[in-house]
Structure formats: C-alpha cells, structure tokens
Amino acid sequence: MSARTLWILAIVIGAGVLIALYASSDARNGDRAGAIGANSAKGELMLMTSLPLIWGETQDMQELLESSAAPHPFYAELTSGYNVTPVDSLVAGEDVLSSADPDILLLVQPRPLTPEELVAVDDWVRGGGRALILADPMLRMESRYPIGDKRRPQAVSLMSPLFERWGLDFTFDDLEGGGLQRMEAGDFTVLAADVGGYARRAEQDAAIADCTVADLTMMARCDIGKGKAILIADADMVDSELMAQSDNGQFLIQLIAEAQMRENAE
C-alpha cells in the first residue's frame, strides 16, 4: 500500500465522524454559474469560507433583500481586483478546482473539508495551483447564531490533516497566542486574535512539500509539487473591526499578489 493511499485512508478514518456532524448548509455562498471569465481583465479567485464575508449574517431572503448594508470590506477588496467565485464544495458533482482552474484558491476558515476535498486541494496545488489559506485554531469573531447552528462560522479549523501532509504541525498556545495581537509584517501593521502557529515537523519530506515558517510563526510558505501555498494561522484578521484598525486587508491582498508573482517568476 503506497504512502499516498495510507494518507488518504488516515484522513477518511479521522474525519468520518466529522463528516456526519457537518452536513452541507442549505444556505449557499453564491452561484458559480457564469462567474468565471466574466471579466477577463481580472484574475480568477475561488473563495470558500464559513465566515459571513459575502451575504453577511442574514436570517432569511427577505432580510437580505431589504438590507442596505455595504459589502464586507475584505470581500469588497477582493472583488475590486478579482472575479470572485464563491463555492460551498470543492468536489460536489465535479472536480471543481480542476474544471474552474482559478488563479488563486482562497480558503478562509472553511467548514470541515471532507477527505475528498482535502485530497483535491493537495492534488490541485501539487499540479501547479496557488492557494492562500486562513485557518484559525480559535476563532474569536462574534456571530448572531448560537453554538451548534450550522450557519455559525467554523470555530476551530480542522485542516490539520492537510498541514501534516505538508510537513507542518498546526499549533495553538493559549498563553502566547491568546487575545489580540498587533504585529509588524514587513510594511504592514496587522491585528489578529487568538493566533495559532505552524512548526516544521522533523520528518518533513521535501518530495511531498517544502514548507518554511516565517518570522511570524502564524505564517508558513510551502512549495508543493509545481504549486505554492501560503498559510496564515488566523482568520479573525478579516473581521471588519480589526481591519478598520490595521493594515490587514492590504496585507492579505499583498499575499495573494505574492503568490501570483512567485508563479510569474518561474
């Protein structure tokens, strides 16, 4: 039995219970049809998130239609530079990543991914795809929905199997990472909450992935086959209040651009 087969089997065993608990939500993030290629002057970005970046936390369609609220500031920044295709599944009915082949895959605290979706992300990046992943070990963002409501943002990221595949431990120290943290990231001042981190595993296999943890341990950059992934161990960075007090939005947009520049430089 190959190492890849063993990895897939491990994900299936570890995630089986989670799949039963987290059924796909009836509330969709958006309609994919016709979105890709709508504006050839912009890059193509595929977005999967459990956070209320697109519609906000509306209770029903009537509330959505009557709402005059401005779009979420981070979503507004994304759509100003990219054709954004929101998806609620990466493999539902088709190989979504391969068929759409976006310039960038952006995962912002997604719901628990199925084993098939984790494998799809790994395969797509390995084949040359580019990804920015915000995974939060302890999401602080407030929600109007009670704990247990499937519309509530995912509280704890469950992407560790993928990070372990790439040779990283996904960590959280409630003493070091707890509370609000203001950090300098190059030219940007970023504000995050309950920050996690990444640690390179001693047994990391460069043939599978070569990941480097940044000076800010909440960041890692990975060369994976022909592709790249940039990982951030915090998703509260896109909270509108934190964005208003920091350079979070510009910082994340720069990371997306960095992935594209790395691609163009090859």
Side-chain angles (χ1 to χ4, degrees):
M1 185 177 294
S2 68
R4 173 181 168 79
T5 302
L6 288 172
W7 176 65
I8 296 174
L9 181 60
I11 294 176
V12 171
I13 294 173
V17 175
L18 295 173
I19 296 171
L21 292 176
Y22 292 92
S24 294
S25 171
D26 292 333
R28 302 301 188 185
N29 282 335
D31 186 354
R32 293 193 299 270
I36 294 180
N39 186 341
S40 59
K42 294 183 177 182
E44 305 295 341
L45 184 147
M46 182 179 288
L47 170 65
M48 186 177 191
T49 182
S50 68
L51 307 185
L53 301 183
I54 304 168
W55 302 117
E57 288 195 326
T58 54
Q59 295 280 27
D60 52 37
M61 185 56 68
Q62 184 63 32
E63 182 179 352
L64 175 62
L65 293 173
E66 294 176 352
S67 175
S68 60
H72 190 284
F74 182 55
Y75 189 70
E77 288 201 46
L78 290 176
T79 55
S80 69
Y82 296 89
N83 294 320
V84 179
T85 302
V87 297
D88 55 14
S89 175
L90 298 175
V91 296
E94 59 179 320
D95 188 354
V96 174
L97 278 172
S98 293
S99 62
D101 197 19
D103 297 316
I104 297 289
L105 172 65
L106 177 58
L107 302 178
V108 184
Q109 196 73 348
R111 58 153 175 80
L113 301 184
T114 66
E116 292 80 10
E117 287 175 311
L118 291 172
V119 172
V121 172
D122 180 66
D123 284 347
W124 181 77
V125 173
R126 194 168 302 282
R130 309 288 155 151
L132 174 62
I133 301 175
L134 279 65
D136 202 310
M138 192 66 65
L139 189 73
R140 177 175 175 153
M141 187 180 298
E142 295 183 358
S143 173
R144 70 193 294 177
Y145 298 119
I147 294 175
D149 191 311
K150 60 186 179 181
R151 296 168 295 180
R152 186 180 176 90
Q154 178 67 27
V156 177
S157 176
L158 299 174
M159 296 191 67
S160 291
L162 183 61
F163 301 148
E164 290 172 4
R165 162 74 169 168
W166 292 345
L168 293 171
D169 285 322
F170 184 46
T171 64
F172 178 67
D173 185 331
D174 58 357
L175 295 179
E176 293 292 331
L180 288 174
Q181 291 194 31
R182 188 175 295 272
M183 297 166 282
E184 299 302 319
D187 296 331
F188 302 99
T189 298
V190 298
L191 189 59
D194 291 339
V195 177
Y198 297 99
R200 184 181 169 106
R201 306 185 107 193
E203 68 275 20
Q204 185 176 93
D205 185 349
I208 296 176
D210 185 10
C211 295
T212 302
V213 178
D215 291 339
L216 292 177
T217 58
M218 73 168 187
M219 287 186 59
R221 292 175 171 86
C222 298
D223 294 325
I224 303 156
K226 298 178 180 179
K228 313 279 185 185
I230 299 177
L231 315 179
I232 304 290
D234 185 81
D236 284 302
M237 290 180 65
V238 301
D239 180 271
S240 56
E241 292 186 7
L242 298 192
M243 288 186 66
Q245 303 172 48
S246 67
D247 301 324
N248 288 3
Q250 301 95 305
F251 174 63
L252 294 173
I253 293 297
Q254 188 230 25
L255 291 182
I256 294 175
E258 176 191 331
Q260 291 181 299
M261 286 189 293
R262 285 154 66 93
E263 180 178 17
N264 294 337
E266 293 177 352

